Amino acid sequence: MTPENSKGQYPPSDEYRKYAFIKSEEEYYRIYDESIKDPVAYWVKQTDCIDWFSKDWKEAFTWDKKENKFTWFKGGKMNVTYNCLDRHVKNGLKNTAAIIFQGEEDDDVKVYTYGQLLHEVEKFSNVLKSKGVKKGDRVAVYLPMVPELPITLLACARIGAVHSVVFAGFSSDSVYNRVVDCTPKVMVTSDGSYRGGKKIDMKGKVNEILEKDTSVTTVVVVKRTGSDIVMEEGRDVWWHEEMAKAPIRCEPEVMDAEDPLFLLYTSGTTGKPKGLMHTSGGYLVGACTSFRNVFNYAPGQVYWCTADIGWITGHTYILYGPLSLGATTLMFEGVPNYPENDRFWQVAEKWKVDIFYTAPTAIRMIRKTGDEWITRHDLSSIKMLGSVGEPIDADVWKWYHKTVGGGRCPIADTWWQTETGSILISPMTGAFNLKPASAMKPLPGIEPVIYKEDKTECAAGESGNLYIKKPFPSLARTIWNDHEKFVETYWTAFPGHYLTGDGARVDEDGDYWLLGRVDDVISVAGHRIGAAEVEAALISHPAVAEAAVVPIPDEIKGEAIYTFVTLKDGFEESEDLKKQLIDQVRNIVGPIATPKTVQIANGLPKTRSGKIMRRLLRKIAGGSKKDELGDTTTLIDPGVIDVLIKGRV
Ligand code: WT7
């Protein structure tokens, strides 16, 4: 047991300390301080965590500050899949489990050793090649959490194709936007998926999308649910049929460290999702070293990250981080509450999971169902816990520590983003006394800084905007097709500093506390949703004149979506209309963006320049009174405020 000390902190046990990668404060500060004195030298040293065909970079790091373009290890040659599979097969892990697939039904299990996974990946690489996919081509992936998903990604990386995964929970329009932007030749999808015991259609959505003019010439379809689907002759092929005839050997392509590895689209402050572009060498060095530094994985352990591979967490910490280090990673198809509320714990007990990494929204949901669901299971195999995606508050942290961790497991509250590719801030759980709700320390090589609006640095205890000084290897290089947007979004607020979009403060011990987004991005159950995307979906309804979307606090999901809508002349408020609007958002953006509330309004608060003041709407939705709204003098029509407050749902 590691009881809380007199300062309310949780020291690691001696046993855990010994086993951790970074074992003491002194060790952390020695590594960290040196890394910040000379980050390039630090990162060059870290390149040893992967195998290179050649390390012939002229300069390890280049940075054109005017263009906001930077490179890491350019000229170095390597292959991501070679590092995740071949080298382990050569080095004695051929028969070690790489991926344990646990399906939604308990008896639906597949274990892939490193040797078997390589075999599948080589074959699928050849399938992709046979469909004309070459180095640099994009492949769109719209798959549920089935083994074919990681096999597809590793096959792309093997032949130098750039994968772009679209989360399986997105609806047609969201998929369409993400697919057309990157002009893929091939799309890999499935006949459907399972969720909570139900079959969900996927291929129908793909057919809908491909009715429009796109670059896709081949769709490879995985048979998962056996649902009746429409296959289009000449375009659609079955995964299993192609695999049956694929040649067995496929050599890994020699890639430059700066060659793109994948695109991943994420919501921003405008309606158009941004395709963040990650590279091969820098990304893998970041994924591999951060996984090692944060999770303290030991050979033989089972590591489980409950995320979906459709998000960056799944890319880096189900797939690339663990596999690059030769770990055994558990991949789970299901949900926390099916068939019953103890599904996570049943799976953790069954596989004797050592490391468990999940999101605060899942923890809050599980906590609500009662401790009994957890305590009935033997979770003594778990040695450490992780949290990611949103701030975890101290109460929930303590509950997680006590009930899931049995009071003995440290928690790594890991902060990072789709853009950063890998964890940047996390407690070094073997070195420091943990502070509930603090993400604590920057990883070596990462230099965060917090500035006030006037760009002066915050003192200890003051809150401001979080930036990262200087690019680091796993940071996205650009936004696909829109470098200007990349510059404007991340590098303009404070030239030479990466703007995270998060608020934060640092305390007198140098520990970081993350405070949530400071822009118009809403985090529903840890999923990033752009207010603008939801507004665009609402406005596409014939009755809607204008829409403004803001977050309100939600007990389980962290934030929920509150929408203000004004109607066009001739339309009237009704329950049916509100339902239509909610469905509209579900169908266009996806069920994860389902609005909690629709408030029909006569007008929205606007500045003289016509900008909707979301800051005010956020407060109104949250239940603030008029005198708590702050300055409203810049509004064209301040009278609108009273009406909005009265109409609050
Ligand atoms: C945003 C990034 C990268 C993980 C999955 C989400 C929030 C992430 C934490 C944390 C507080 C967190 C931030 C960030 N966030 N981790 N430990 N504590 N907030 O990736 O969709 O790119 O979202 O998630 O607001 O900016 P993402």
Side-chain angles (χ1 to χ4, degrees):
M1 290 289 264
T2 51
E4 205 177 315
N5 70 13
S6 57
K7 290 192 198 142
Q9 302 169 357
Y10 293 69
S13 66
D14 286 344
E15 190 194 349
Y16 194 80
R17 230 181 245 284
K18 273 192 217 119
Y19 143 116
F21 184 73
I22 296 176
K23 299 175 191 342
S24 68
E25 293 191 17
E26 296 70 45
E27 188 183 358
Y28 167 80
Y29 285 119
R30 184 174 48 71
I31 299 172
Y32 183 76
D33 293 346
E34 208 181 291
S35 80
I36 294 310
K37 250 186 249 145
D38 190 349
V40 177
Y42 170 79
W43 286 115
V44 166
K45 217 162 101 197
Q46 300 311 307
T47 59
D48 287 342
C49 71
I50 62 173
D51 285 3
W52 297 78
F53 301 137
S54 91
K55 282 195 174 189
D56 293 337
W57 48 80
K58 280 200 201 76
E59 281 176 274
F61 173 57
T62 67
W63 189 9
D64 176 347
K65 288 198 195 176
K66 234 172 88 201
E67 300 284 322
N68 289 285
K69 290 191 173 157
F70 54 92
T71 65
W72 281 95
F73 322 125
K74 191 175 167 67
K77 304 290 180 211
M78 45 83 68
N79 180 282
V80 167
T81 298
Y82 178 86
N83 274 285
C84 289
L85 300 176
D86 307 57
R87 66 164 176 163
H88 303 314
V89 169
K90 285 183 190 154
N91 293 341
L93 295 183
K94 186 169 33 192
N95 299 324
T96 297
I99 295 179
I100 298 173
F101 169 75
Q102 172 63 66
E104 186 161 271
E105 298 308 324
D106 202 46
D107 58 1
D108 185 8
V109 167
K110 277 188 199 153
V111 179
Y112 292 84
T113 64
Y114 275 94
Q116 287 170 316
L117 189 56
L118 177 57
H119 175 65
E120 298 297 321
V121 167
E122 285 190 87
K123 276 196 302 180
F124 196 63
S125 301
N126 286 325
V127 172
L128 289 174
K129 279 186 173 172
S130 76
K131 302 300 167 199
V133 178
K134 293 189 194 62
K135 182 172 171 175
D137 288 345
R138 274 80 54 211
V139 171
V141 185
Y142 181 55
L143 279 173
M145 283 285 279
V146 290
E148 288 82 355
L149 172 51
I151 291 168
T152 300
L153 306 196
L154 291 163
C156 288
R158 188 167 196 81
I159 65 171
V162 181
H163 58 72
S164 175
V165 183
V166 183
F167 173 56
F170 276 127
S171 297
S172 321
D173 274 37
S174 299
V175 182
Y176 178 77
N177 288 336
R178 288 161 168 84
V179 167
V180 287
D181 187 64
C182 70
T183 55
K185 253 189 201 152
V186 169
M187 191 163 177
V188 185
T189 188
S190 149
D191 58 350
S193 65
Y194 291 111
R195 199 171 167 81
K198 287 198 271 297
K199 282 185 189 177
I200 306 214
D201 168 55
M202 293 187 75
K203 182 62 169 52
K205 289 184 195 145
V206 171
N207 288 350
E208 221 176 276
I209 292 160
L210 297 186
E211 265 169 29
K212 300 180 202 167
D213 199 19
T214 72
S215 54
V216 176
T217 52
T218 304
V219 181
V220 183
V221 185
V222 173
K223 200 176 208 114
R224 178 64 187 146
T225 55
S227 304
D228 252 349
I229 55 163
V230 179
M231 295 284 279
E232 188 177 299
E233 182 109 18
R235 184 193 71 191
D236 301 350
V237 295
W238 285 106
W239 173 287
H240 56 273
E241 289 177 4
E242 297 297 315
M243 286 293 264
K245 52 187 193 215
I248 287 173
R249 287 281 165 264
C250 173
E251 286 304 309
E253 191 75 36
V254 175
M255 304 298 287
D256 192 282
E258 277 294 312
D259 281 335
L261 174 63
F262 66 83
L263 306 178
L264 193 55
Y265 285 81
T266 189
S267 301
T269 48
T270 63
K272 196 170 166 274
K274 302 173 286 193
L276 273 317
M277 197 269 267
H278 283 283
T279 58
S280 305
Y283 170 79
L284 197 66
V285 168
C288 186
T289 54
S290 61
F291 181 73
R292 179 199 65 196
N293 291 342
V294 171
F295 293 103
N296 301 314
Y297 181 87
Q301 291 188 336
V302 175
Y303 160 87
W304 182 15
C305 165
T306 69
D308 191 293
I309 293 180
W311 307 112
I312 190 71
T313 308
H315 278 57
T316 309
Y317 297 110
I318 294 178
L319 199 57
Y320 291 118
L323 293 189
S324 64
L325 218 78
T328 298
T329 179
L330 185 111
M331 163 177 190
F332 176 57
E333 181 189 36
V335 292
N337 55 359
Y338 176 86
E340 296 215 75
N341 290 330
D342 60 348
R343 182 62 173 143
F344 271 5
W345 321 116
Q346 188 204 334
V347 171
E349 182 176 23
K350 167 178 174 180
W351 293 105
K352 301 190 175 55
V353 167
D354 295 271
I355 302 166
F356 179 77
Y357 188 30
T358 195
T361 183
I363 305 169
R364 290 190 297 258
M365 183 171 137
I366 289 160
R367 178 168 83 144
K368 216 176 154 191
T369 60
D371 295 7
E372 224 300 279
W373 291 106
I374 299 147
T375 50
R376 70 168 68 159
H377 293 282
D378 174 4
L379 299 181
S380 58
S381 61
I382 299 181
K383 296 176 184 60
M384 90 163 289
L385 300 170
S387 168
V388 61
E390 19 160 1
I392 175 168
D393 70 59
D395 262 7
V396 176
W397 192 103
K398 287 180 194 168
W399 178 87
Y400 189 33
H401 184 264
K402 178 165 161 248
T403 315
V404 180
R408 96 197 151 262
C409 305
I411 301 175
D413 173 5
T414 61
W415 177 87
W416 57 298
Q417 307 176 301
T418 304
E419 291 85 345
T420 70
S422 65
I423 297 170
L424 301 194
I425 305 181
S426 163
M428 300 295 117
T429 53
F432 289 93
N433 296 348
L434 301 178
K435 296 179 183 174
S438 171
M440 297 189 70
K441 300 294 179 199
L443 263 61
I446 304 298
E447 200 175 352
V449 57
I450 305 172
Y451 290 121
K452 291 184 250 189
E453 286 303 331
D454 66 4
K455 307 288 155 55
T456 57
E457 198 169 336
C458 289
E462 284 179 337
S463 311
N465 296 324
L466 178 67
Y467 294 78
I468 311 293
K469 284 187 187 170
K470 302 192 192 105
F472 44 90
S474 73
L475 184 61
R477 299 294 184 269
T478 191
I479 292 173
W480 191 255
N481 286 334
D482 205 348
H483 191 67
E484 226 171 88
K485 182 82 188 268
F486 180 72
V487 175
E488 173 198 313
T489 311
Y490 304 111
W491 300 99
T492 306
F494 197 132
H497 291 60
Y498 166 74
L499 174 71
T500 68
D502 275 23
R505 88 187 131 76
V506 65
D507 66 20
E508 53 292 344
D509 301 326
D511 290 322
Y512 284 81
W513 301 75
L514 278 304
L515 306 172
R517 302 287 309 187
V518 292
D519 52 15
D520 289 325
V521 173
I522 306 176
S523 169
V524 181
H527 301 315
R528 214 161 127 171
I529 297 172
E533 270 175 275
V534 180
E535 285 164 7
L538 288 166
I539 290 165
S540 69
H541 188 282
V544 176
E546 273 190 310
V549 170
V550 295
I552 51 164
D554 183 272
E555 196 195 340
I556 300 294
K557 296 184 170 170
E559 288 182 348
I561 294 178
Y562 193 108
T563 64
F564 293 91
V565 172
T566 63
L567 300 180
K568 287 185 191 152
D569 287 347
F571 288 93
E572 276 186 21
E573 176 169 359
S574 71
E575 284 314 305
D576 178 56
L577 176 62
K578 286 186 185 177
K579 195 177 160 298
Q580 281 179 34
L581 295 178
I582 290 173
D583 285 346
Q584 177 94 355
V585 176
R586 285 177 66 89
N587 293 335
I588 293 183
V589 187
I592 52 169
T594 308
K596 187 171 184 176
T597 315
V598 178
Q599 175 172 348
I600 308 283
N602 288 335
L604 297 172
K606 288 191 192 158
T607 61
R608 276 166 221 287
S609 61
K611 250 191 163 173
I612 295 174
M613 288 187 78
R614 287 194 186 71
R615 176 179 66 76
L616 289 179
L617 290 173
R618 217 183 241 247
K619 290 192 172 165
I620 293 170
S624 296
K625 300 202 185 62
K626 192 170 181 191
D627 54 2
E628 295 164 348
L629 295 181
D631 183 16
T632 56
T633 53
T634 53
L635 291 178
I636 311 182
D637 175 14
V640 74
I641 296 288
D642 293 315
V643 186
L644 286 170
I645 291 181
K646 238 171 99 198
R648 205 186 155 270
V649 186

